[in-house]
Amino acid sequence: MKVEFTRTGPYAGVLSVEVEAERFDRALDEAFRRVIRHVEVPGFRRGKVPRFIFEARYGVESLYEEALNVLLPEAYRAAVEEAGIVPIEEPEIDVESLGKGQPLRFKATVTVEPEAEVGDYRSIALVKPVVSVDEEEVERELAAMRERVAVLRPLEGEEAVVQEGDEVDLAYRVFLREGEGEDAPERELEDAKRDEVTVEVVPERLLPGFAEGLVGMRVGETKDIFLTLPQDYHDASLSGKPVRLSVHVKAVRRKEYPPLDDEFAREVSDFDTLEELKADIRAKLEARVREAKDREVRDALVEKLVDITEVELPESLIRREAEAIVEELDNVLRSMGMDLARYLEAVNKDREAVIREHWEEARRRVVGRLALLAVARKEGIEVDEGRWREKLAELAQVYRTTPEELERVLRREGAYEALRRSVLFDQVVDRLLSYVTWVEEAPAPSEGGEAASAEGAGSAEESSGDAERE
């Protein structure tokens, strides 16, 4: 197949394609197999008409339209991939010539990503990332490990008094109050009554004031706890209303934690000593911080690149990216048990308003990609096939398939080029990082001194249950 792309404007061009005669003839064969199922010719059963009789009766030209339906989409996708362009709208296709035993020639007028002009990307300055983990972070990880192996011990007798962090079995009744005073009229909320419920006495997990009211209660004790339901309470008819909870404590259990010693280290890990365990925790935390800092630096580098890039963007390209951002938002909301429709209703906005809110973010995303492509062209960077294969193998493992099958799916779904680009962009950022001028991180603000703002730092760089919360 012969492919030639000619740019005719900032974001327009013509793709000239010639498809081999053999491929067009195979498309004619497929077109005949499709068409003949619906054709009736006297003396033949439907679908059994010989090809030469069909062509004699209707002409081979009657198959051309179906052959184009078979071949054009596939040929267009392959031509786009070969030309290395990314159309952002459906093309206008003009078939110039076709015929049995002849090549198919067509032109596609396409709207494509514009080419960006990038400034002096070799003079970008960034704050040098500092990777550090303090002792408190290590201790928090150890505390989380202790939490996982803690044992709940039932409390009895004099020690059976509720403390924060305990697990408590209780029963309660809820009364809606018509005022704040103790003698205010009230009515019981029958649906809120519980005869057996277990709660963990952690303030942020319970209704405001409920955990505090439980602290100090003894097993067998009944107590009134007066609360005001929060404004975001799950039952809107009760939001902000005062209530009385008549609470009876049935049992209390308290977590017992193992001591932080070598035996603990052996229990929760493959290490023999607590010091070895702490060293491993620190190393893993540092690796996590290093990875996060690396992402931050790479993002900051692209942001700097955007600031020194000039490009004329079609509105359709920005809109498509803004809509993609809104789709991402919808996915996040769904993972939280919500969706975009309910979100829009809650914030009293329509989809278009949210798209417009993300317009500038979308614009910068698009400019960032175009800037990276421009640098790739200037630096002569192409996709490293080794890294590409590593990426395919990594994703194939995630999706439990083979790299070869994944590549076929990517091509079929039109996602092949986007993934190839992601690998290319990583390579471009690696190259840009080799040019970066690193500056030391601004010191923390001191008393009486003026804190260095992010903006100031940037300028310096350039110059250098019902009772439970539901």
Side-chain angles (χ1 to χ4, degrees):
M1 186 167 69
K2 298 178 182 178
V3 178
E4 181 182 344
F5 177 70
T6 305
R7 190 174 285 273
T8 59
Y11 36 83
V14 175
L15 195 62
S16 300
V17 184
E18 180 180 302
V19 182
E20 301 87 343
E22 294 80 3
R23 285 185 65 187
F24 185 70
D25 286 348
R26 287 198 297 272
L28 282 173
D29 294 341
E30 175 61 25
F32 174 72
R33 285 191 290 271
R34 293 184 182 186
V35 169
I36 200 62
R37 293 196 294 264
H38 310 289
V39 172
E40 293 184 2
V41 175
F44 295 93
R45 286 183 296 153
R46 179 178 293 184
K48 299 298 182 180
V49 180
R51 175 78 170 269
F52 73 93
I53 290 180
F54 174 88
E55 291 187 3
R57 187 179 182 91
Y58 298 104
V60 68
E61 295 80 8
S62 64
L63 297 174
Y64 286 174
E65 183 177 353
E66 188 63 33
L68 289 174
N69 290 338
V70 171
L71 185 55
L72 268 181
E74 174 191 333
Y76 174 69
R77 282 196 299 269
V80 163
E81 187 176 312
E82 186 172 330
I85 61 174
V86 179
I88 57 178
E89 294 178 357
E90 289 298 312
E92 293 181 12
I93 293 181
D94 177 29
V95 176
E96 296 186 314
S97 67
L98 78 168
K100 187 175 182 179
Q102 300 175 27
L104 165 66
R105 295 185 181 89
F106 68 90
K107 286 187 176 180
T109 302
V110 292
T111 303
V112 296
E113 290 179 332
E115 292 185 355
E117 288 294 329
V118 185
D120 185 8
Y121 55 81
R122 295 193 178 203
S123 298
I124 290 176
L126 293 174
V127 174
K128 186 177 182 180
V130 177
V131 177
S132 63
V133 174
D134 59 37
E135 195 61 29
E136 287 184 4
E137 293 175 88
V138 176
E139 293 299 327
R140 280 197 293 271
E141 287 292 318
L142 283 172
M145 289 181 169
R146 289 180 79 201
E147 187 72 30
R148 288 194 288 270
V149 297
V151 177
L152 281 170
R153 179 175 64 86
L155 302 183
E156 297 177 351
E158 291 298 316
E159 69 172 353
V161 180
V162 177
Q163 293 182 8
E164 191 172 308
D166 288 348
E167 186 177 274
V168 181
D169 295 339
L170 48 83
Y172 61 79
R173 297 165 66 193
V174 183
F175 299 86
L176 180 64
R177 297 168 54 74
E178 301 300 331
E180 294 294 339
E182 289 189 9
D183 297 329
E186 57 186 28
R187 61 181 176 86
E188 184 172 359
L189 301 176
E190 292 290 345
D191 292 342
K193 179 180 179 180
R194 294 291 182 273
D195 293 324
E196 190 75 46
V197 66
T198 299
V199 300
E200 191 173 2
V201 187
V202 178
E204 55 267 26
R205 297 181 187 173
L206 302 176
L207 290 171
F210 188 40
E212 293 81 353
L214 291 172
V215 170
M217 291 186 68
R218 295 180 174 277
V219 171
E221 181 181 355
T222 299
K223 175 183 175 181
D224 287 336
I225 300 176
F226 295 89
L227 305 174
T228 298
L229 298 176
Q231 293 297 331
D232 61 351
Y233 191 64
H234 68 93
D235 185 343
S237 66
L238 299 176
S239 298
K241 298 294 181 63
V243 295
R244 173 173 66 88
L245 273 68
S246 177
V247 181
H248 178 74
V249 174
K250 295 184 172 183
V252 180
R253 291 173 294 278
R254 185 161 299 154
K255 290 179 181 177
E256 288 190 343
Y257 299 91
L260 284 174
D261 54 19
D262 293 344
E263 184 177 343
F264 169 76
R266 287 190 288 272
E267 180 183 354
V268 300
S269 71
D270 295 328
F271 297 102
D272 292 325
T273 68
L274 182 62
E275 288 307 310
E276 289 175 326
L277 174 59
K278 291 175 73 173
D280 180 68
I281 291 172
R282 179 178 292 279
K284 288 177 178 174
L285 287 173
E286 286 176 348
R288 198 182 306 163
V289 172
R290 190 174 294 109
E291 183 179 344
K293 291 281 187 179
D294 181 63
R295 287 195 301 269
E296 290 174 7
V297 164
R298 298 174 82 87
D299 290 345
L301 176 57
V302 175
E303 287 298 312
K304 292 274 190 178
L305 197 64
V306 169
D307 291 337
I308 59 171
T309 297
E310 293 185 4
V311 61
E312 183 181 343
L313 295 179
E315 183 170 306
S316 60
L317 187 55
I318 304 175
R319 171 168 288 279
R320 189 172 70 173
E321 189 66 28
E323 288 176 344
I325 292 172
V326 173
E327 286 299 318
E328 292 169 12
L329 172 62
D330 189 22
N331 291 334
V332 171
L333 291 170
R334 288 178 186 278
S335 71
M336 300 166 59
M338 202 178 183
D339 61 22
L340 185 64
R342 282 190 288 167
Y343 168 77
L344 293 175
E345 184 178 353
V347 297
N348 194 27
K349 294 177 182 176
D350 59 20
R351 185 185 179 91
E352 182 63 25
V354 177
I355 286 174
R356 285 293 168 181
E357 285 176 1
H358 291 90
W359 199 261
E360 177 59 16
E361 178 188 354
R363 187 193 69 80
R364 291 186 69 85
R365 276 196 192 186
V366 173
V367 174
R369 289 199 296 268
L370 297 176
L372 290 170
L373 285 173
V375 173
R377 285 192 295 270
K378 285 189 176 182
E379 296 283 325
I381 304 172
E382 297 181 350
V383 175
D384 181 274
E385 291 304 319
R387 290 177 69 158
W388 168 245
R389 291 297 160 193
E390 287 177 9
K391 187 70 172 179
L392 277 179
E394 176 189 327
L395 290 176
Q397 189 171 13
V398 171
Y399 292 109
R400 299 182 180 179
T401 185
T402 64
E404 295 74 20
E405 177 59 25
L406 177 61
E407 189 165 5
R408 282 193 290 271
V409 171
L410 290 170
R411 289 181 183 277
R412 186 174 68 242
E413 300 298 326
Y416 177 84
E417 188 60 35
L419 187 61
R420 291 273 294 184
R421 276 193 170 190
S422 73
V423 174
L424 176 65
F425 290 162
D426 281 343
Q427 293 175 227
V428 175
V429 173
D430 289 342
R431 178 73 61 85
L432 289 170
L433 285 171
S434 70
Y435 301 142
V436 163
T437 300
W438 297 102
V439 298
E440 296 298 323
E441 190 167 7
S446 57
E447 286 187 24
E450 205 172 286
S453 68
E455 183 179 346
S459 300
E461 292 161 26
E462 289 169 11
S463 64
S464 68
D466 288 272
E468 298 179 66
R469 178 173 292 279
E470 300 191 18

